[in-house]
Amino acid sequence: DAGVTQSPTHLIKTRGQHVTLRCSPISGHKSVSWYQQVLGQGPQFIFQYYEKEERGRGNFPDRFSARQFPNYSSELNVNALLLGDSALYLCASSPGAGGPRSYEQYFGPGTRLTVT
Amino acid sequence: DQQVKQNSPSLSVQEGRISILNCDYTNSMFDYFLWYKKYPAEGPTFLISISSIKDKNEDGRFTVFLNKSAKHLSLHIVPSQPGDSAVYFCAASITGNQFYFGTGTSLTVIP
């Protein structure tokens, strides 16, 4: 079975630009979460979506937004990019159907975003 | 505000011995705890988890212990193998809707 996939793998953008990152969850998983990981730190929670509804939001500015599609894939959008947005962006999927296993998140390889 | 902390950035252990990785948390609302393993250039891989209603969960060589009164959890790897060398993250969740990760501990298992 295919794992979580993310695109693109790497991306270079200029300050002030907009970026869209994409994620396809594991087949059968209905929940997708997004994380930002800067060097030397653990992943920081940005959003969680389940059945196209936002279920959780971390402490990130409104420049960050996301959505989930009927096929459970997801996009993370970041507007007005800042140098500090340079990071590895991770997507994780989980069954999200309730019960203990809904907590187990499976991560994709990430998208490395560099803002210059 | 770092709600999940891993105070040891690195740990070195001889092959065959026990590795103990520690994690502390501050939020008593956390109801589920997880450990992830991460290799360079890959996303974190789920390793083992524990509900707040339990104090121990075991899966093969990996055991997680939870001490709610101390707000502390630990991951024991016995016996340690060179392939276990990676960065380990602990994470905590509130109702499965928000997840908080520690800063990671880099484990090196020496052959």
Side-chain angles (χ1 to χ4, degrees), chain A residues 50-68:
Chain A
Y50 173 65
E51 291 278 12
K52 297 179 290 179
E53 298 289 328
E54 183 183 299
R55 294 285 289 268
R57 173 185 284 256
N59 188 24
F60 279 81
D62 292 343
R63 299 184 296 108
F64 289 77
S65 63
R67 56 180 176 168
Q68 188 177 31

Side-chain angles (χ1 to χ4, degrees), chain B:
Chain B
D1 180 26
Q2 191 73 23
Q3 298 191 49
V4 178
K5 299 178 183 179
Q6 293 176 257
N7 293 318
S8 299
S10 62
L11 175 69
S12 291
V13 172
Q14 287 291 135
E15 181 179 3
R17 305 294 289 268
I18 184 171
S19 295
I20 300 176
L21 295 97
N22 294 303
C23 180
D24 297 298
Y25 62 96
T26 58
N27 192 336
S28 58
M29 297 297 291
F30 288 141
D31 61 357
Y32 215 77
F33 303 87
L34 309 97
W35 283 94
Y36 287 86
K37 175 179 175 181
K38 187 180 186 301
Y39 294 116
E42 295 182 9
T45 302
F46 170 74
L47 198 56
I48 191 169
S49 62
I50 186 168
S51 165
S52 61
I53 63 173
K54 296 186 176 181
D55 54 19
K56 176 183 175 181
N57 188 29
E58 190 172 354
D59 184 2
R61 297 186 297 114
F62 303 91
T63 303
V64 57
F65 295 92
L66 176 62
N67 182 335
K68 288 188 291 294
S69 61
K71 293 190 176 66
H72 177 85
L73 68 156
S74 61
L75 174 68
H76 293 210
I77 307 174
V78 182
S80 300
Q81 299 173 354
D84 296 329
S85 296
V87 177
Y88 289 78
F89 291 99
C90 69
S93 175
I94 302 173
T95 67
N97 294 133
Q98 292 195 36
F99 291 80
Y100 299 85
F101 280 73
T103 52
T105 296
S106 179
L107 172 67
T108 301
V109 179
I110 304 164

Side-chain angles (χ1 to χ4, degrees), chain A residues 33-47:
Chain A
S33 297
W34 287 95
Y35 294 84
Q36 180 194 68
Q37 186 177 18
V38 298
L39 197 62
Q41 298 294 316
Q44 296 292 310
F45 174 75
I46 309 175
F47 287 110

